[in-house]
Amino acid sequence: MAGLAPAPFAGMILADLGADVVRVDRKTGSDSKTVDSLTRGKRSIALDLKNPADKSTLLSLAAKADVLIEGYRPGVMESLGLGPLNVHAVNPSLVYARLTGFERHDPVWGKAAGHDINYIALSGLLSLIGSREMPIPPGPMLGDMAGGGMACVLGILAALVRRSVGGREIGSASRQCGGVANSAIARRQAEASNGIVVEAAMQDGAAYLATFYRHARAGDRGASIAGKQRGHNVLDGGAPFYRCYACKAPSHPDKSPHAQQRQFVAVGCIEPHFYSKMLELLGIKEDDESLPSQFDSDRWDELAEIFARKFAEKTRDEWAEIFLGSDACVTPVIEEVQDRRVPVVVDGHGRYNWKERSAGMAEDPGMVPGHGQDDVLREWVKGSKL
């Protein structure tokens, strides 16, 4: 079902992995492309779901589908007569996947409006991200995409495996998945329809992503990683050997619209032997008595100033050449987000094989709602036409 980013992202992942994904758009009569930028690999059909004939068409599609994904507020699909009970009545084996921001059954927030920043705020994850002064939202990647869309796909795949073995438990991994209360990958059996319903909440998914930090804070083993306030720990920018540094401005700056005015390198040399390699390539003598010790947190700000002055001596690309392929754990911060391959290749197969589609995969030509829908209906519902 067409909607905001998380559900389309889940559909795009499945399309990238080879699924035939049909996006159900709202019928508008316009030939304008949708503003959704996650239409890659999909086809579209435009319907007016308040029209009985169009609703019947959707149910006919659902009767042949393996999965339905919807990301509306709780109760919307039921009000249209397209909730799990309705859809499972025509296809009991269909996996009905539901994406919400807050937990669907939360009596306070369940039906409230919100966005990524709100979901990760209530999950506790936002409190871990940002400067020492305040949390800073990282864009929609953690709540909408990872905690929502990708977690939903995980639940869908688990449900499909469960369906393939006749609804039986599929081992300890399945029981563990199904036993996490209100988690983003929880799978609920629809009792009345005997179908499988996947419920994914971005709030829960974001909290799940913070499991490592939560466990680290709970014990002494992770005290140096997450035991202090935000911005004072090893992995959140507090350590001078795990943060970004500004470089010298290039003589011919990139004037493209996405280019940043300043360029940076990312430093992540936690282990002492990697740290030593970084010092070597920076031209800093490790045995210099004036150099603060790597893990002397009381002098981290002083050490960070030394590194900052050093990295400012050369451009990002010059440092990239110096550190290229080394074990110093120093890399350039690339401004154009890389999207040239699917994150998982199964046995070398997938719609976007990275060896064959190494260029251009990030391009999304856009989609006009309903374009090609006659082909969809002909293939999915023999003889049907809108």
Side-chain angles (χ1 to χ4, degrees):
M1 306 298 294
L4 298 179
F9 183 60
M12 190 196 76
I13 294 172
L14 294 173
D16 284 348
L17 293 174
D20 182 7
V21 178
V22 176
R23 172 187 165 103
V24 181
D25 281 291
R26 182 180 298 177
K27 184 183 290 184
T28 63
S30 171
D31 290 332
S32 300
K33 291 182 178 180
T34 175
V35 297
D36 183 8
S37 62
L38 300 171
T39 60
R40 183 175 69 211
K42 305 176 188 176
R43 297 186 290 175
S44 170
I45 183 170
L47 299 173
D48 176 5
L49 296 180
K50 294 182 180 180
N51 180 300
D54 282 8
K55 185 170 79 172
S56 177
T57 296
L58 178 60
L59 289 172
S60 296
L61 290 172
K64 300 294 181 63
D66 291 298
V67 180
L68 183 148
I69 304 173
E70 65 97 351
Y72 301 137
R73 286 206 218 179
V76 171
M77 289 295 278
E78 283 81 356
S79 70
L80 293 169
L82 295 169
L85 293 176
N86 308 98
V87 175
H88 284 142
V90 299
N91 185 353
S93 66
L94 177 137
V95 174
Y96 195 113
R98 323 195 76 173
L99 255 170
T100 57
F102 302 112
E103 295 174 2
R104 174 176 296 274
H105 306 288
D106 188 311
V108 177
W109 293 102
K111 295 185 178 181
H115 285 291
D116 185 287
I117 187 173
N118 307 116
Y119 311 141
I120 65 174
L122 281 186
S123 75
L125 182 58
L126 183 56
S127 70
L128 305 176
I129 304 167
S131 66
R132 294 180 179 181
E133 288 73 29
M134 69 174 66
I136 299 175
M141 285 76 74
L142 295 181
D144 285 358
M145 307 305 173
M150 191 165 283
C152 183
V153 169
L154 178 59
I156 289 170
L157 298 179
L160 290 173
V161 172
R162 183 181 183 186
R163 189 185 72 177
S164 72
V165 294
R168 301 187 306 275
E169 291 290 355
I170 53 176
S172 59
S174 170
R175 289 193 293 274
Q176 193 174 34
C177 226
V180 180
N182 292 323
S183 78
I185 56 174
R187 294 172 286 107
R188 295 188 176 212
Q189 188 79 15
E191 296 178 359
S193 62
N194 199 34
I196 297 178
V197 176
V198 172
E199 293 187 1
M202 291 165 241
Q203 176 186 346
D204 293 330
Y208 199 78
L209 294 173
T211 300
F212 170 77
Y213 251 68
R214 186 171 64 252
H215 288 184
R217 281 182 165 181
D220 295 335
R221 292 177 300 172
S224 63
I225 296 176
K228 300 178 181 179
Q229 293 181 344
R230 182 185 57 250
H232 292 82
N233 301 285
V234 170
L235 300 180
D236 63 3
F241 49 85
Y242 203 91
R243 64 169 66 176
C244 294
Y245 290 95
C247 303
K248 178 182 177 181
S251 56
H252 300 287
D254 185 353
K255 295 183 180 180
S256 64
H258 299 293
Q260 301 294 322
Q261 296 300 314
R262 303 177 71 189
Q263 295 183 327
F264 301 86
V265 292
V267 175
C269 47
I270 301 173
E271 294 82 358
H273 51 294
F274 297 153
Y275 179 77
S276 296
K277 189 63 178 180
M278 183 200 70
L279 293 180
E280 175 192 334
L281 295 177
L282 276 178
I284 296 176
K285 294 182 178 181
E286 191 169 5
D287 57 0
D288 186 339
E289 294 183 357
S290 66
L291 187 70
S293 174
Q294 178 183 3
F295 291 103
D296 183 358
S297 59
D298 291 335
R299 300 183 67 187
W300 273 356
D301 288 344
E302 180 185 348
L303 187 57
E305 290 179 6
I306 295 173
F307 293 161
R309 289 194 297 269
K310 198 68 179 176
F311 279 112
E313 294 177 0
K314 299 181 186 295
T315 67
R316 180 198 65 185
D317 292 346
E318 288 172 335
W319 285 121
E321 185 67 25
I322 290 171
F323 286 101
L324 183 65
S326 73
D327 282 344
C329 301
V330 177
T331 52
V333 177
I334 303 300
E335 292 156 14
E336 289 294 331
V337 178
Q338 303 299 297
D339 182 22
R340 294 191 173 185
R341 63 187 70 177
V342 294
V344 178
V345 177
V346 181
D347 197 25
H349 297 288
R351 175 168 292 174
Y352 293 94
N353 186 298
W354 68 269
K355 292 180 180 179
E356 300 174 359
R357 300 291 297 273
S358 60
M361 181 178 167
E363 298 177 3
D364 188 334
M367 173 183 286
V368 175
H371 180 70
Q373 66 183 13
D374 287 344
D375 290 336
V376 171
L377 290 172
R378 185 164 50 250
E379 295 171 21
W380 283 57
V381 187
K382 302 298 183 181
S384 295
K385 186 176 181 179
L386 290 178

